[in-house]
């Protein structure tokens, strides 16, 4: 999808960062993007958090021991890393660098600390979106509905939510998820526009040069 059905202009991949407090619907939006918008690949993070019942190793996360995580971090294999809710999370470097160079887009479901580090390292390639819940009551209801975390974990996540929401100003876009399909449409529009940005499309130099050299018949 390049905004034009027939002419593909070469471009760099973009790094789409989705952040939100747990339970604001970010993971569902991420899943929809992967299913319904072509050209996206998700960055699978490493984490020391215990696996939830529904999660699959290598799909949702690469689950690591604390020691394994520290070795990756110390070997500079992580593009960014952070401690979230008492566990460590990090983004493996290599798949990201390969995807971006090949013009494929990468999706990141990471927190504000990770977003900050990626902005510092990969400035021009990052597009960041913060997803907000419509109310704090709805956020709590969604955490309970998910029913995959203990009451203590839910309590911790809700407390952290206030602090996380305060980071909203650092993001390029803010989407309120009061209706999932509307929030998804907004995210899709952002992606469509960002893919068309001039500075992301080095192929335009050749395209325009060919255009101007063409002798119309
Ligand atoms: P969960 O434990 O619910 O899967 O994720 C908790 C938080 O950690 C979420 O806000 C999620 O976006 C964030 N997270 C997941 N992977 C990474 C990562 O690789 N880096 C950073 N900085 N945050 C992550």
């Amino acid at each position: 999808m390049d905004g034009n059905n027939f002419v593909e202009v070469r471009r760099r991949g973009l790094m789409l960062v989705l952040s939100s407090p747990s339970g604001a619907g970010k993971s569902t939006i991420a899943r929809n993007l992967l299913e319904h918008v072509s050209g996206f690949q998700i960055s699978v993070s490493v984490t020391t958090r215990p696996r939830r019942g529904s999660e699959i190793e290598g799909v949702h996360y690469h689950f690591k021991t604390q020691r394994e995580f520290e070795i990756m971090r110390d070997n500079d294999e992580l593009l960014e890393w952070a401690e979230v809710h008492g566990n460590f999370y990090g983004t493996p470097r290599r798949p990201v660098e390969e995807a971006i160079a090949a013009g494929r887009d990468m999706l990141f479901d990471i927190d504000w600390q990770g977003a900050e580090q990626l902005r510092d390292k990969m400035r021009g390639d990052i597009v960041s979106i913060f997803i907000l819940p419509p109310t704090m009551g709805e956020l709590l209801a969604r955490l309970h509905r998910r029913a995959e975390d203990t009451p203590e974990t839910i309590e911790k996540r809700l407390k952290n939510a206030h602090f996380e929401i305060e980071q909203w100003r650092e993001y390029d876009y803010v989407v309120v998820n009061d209706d999932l399909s509307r929030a998804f449409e907004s995210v899709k529009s952002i992606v469509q526009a960002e893919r068309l940005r001039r500075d992301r499309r080095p192929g335009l130099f050749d395209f325009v040069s060919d255009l101007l050299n063409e002798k119309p018949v």
Side-chain angles (χ1 to χ4, degrees), residues 26 45 49 52 61 80 82 89-91 109-111 114 157:
K26 165 188 55 175
S45 298
R49 166 169 77 59
R52 295 185 185 128
Y61 284 105
E80 62 75 33
Y89 296 81
T91 299
D109 174 342
I110 61 176
D111 85 327
R157 282 170 185 255

Side-chain angles (χ1 to χ4, degrees), residues 74-133:
D74 297 346
N75 286 340
D76 205 24
E77 290 173 38
L78 302 178
L79 202 50
E80 62 75 33
W81 67 272
E83 186 177 349
V84 188
H85 314 310
N87 295 299
F88 289 94
Y89 296 81
T91 299
R93 175 191 296 281
R94 184 134 41 94
V96 179
E97 291 179 344
E98 285 173 1
I100 300 311
R104 295 193 304 271
D105 299 325
M106 266 281 192
L107 179 61
F108 299 83
D109 174 342
I110 61 176
D111 85 327
W112 64 273
Q113 306 173 80
E116 196 173 56
Q117 294 171 57
L118 290 189
R119 260 183 231 115
D120 285 348
K121 286 186 183 155
M122 322 278 288
R123 184 155 294 281
D125 294 321
I126 301 285
V127 177
S128 61
I129 307 180
F130 199 82
I131 312 285
L132 284 173

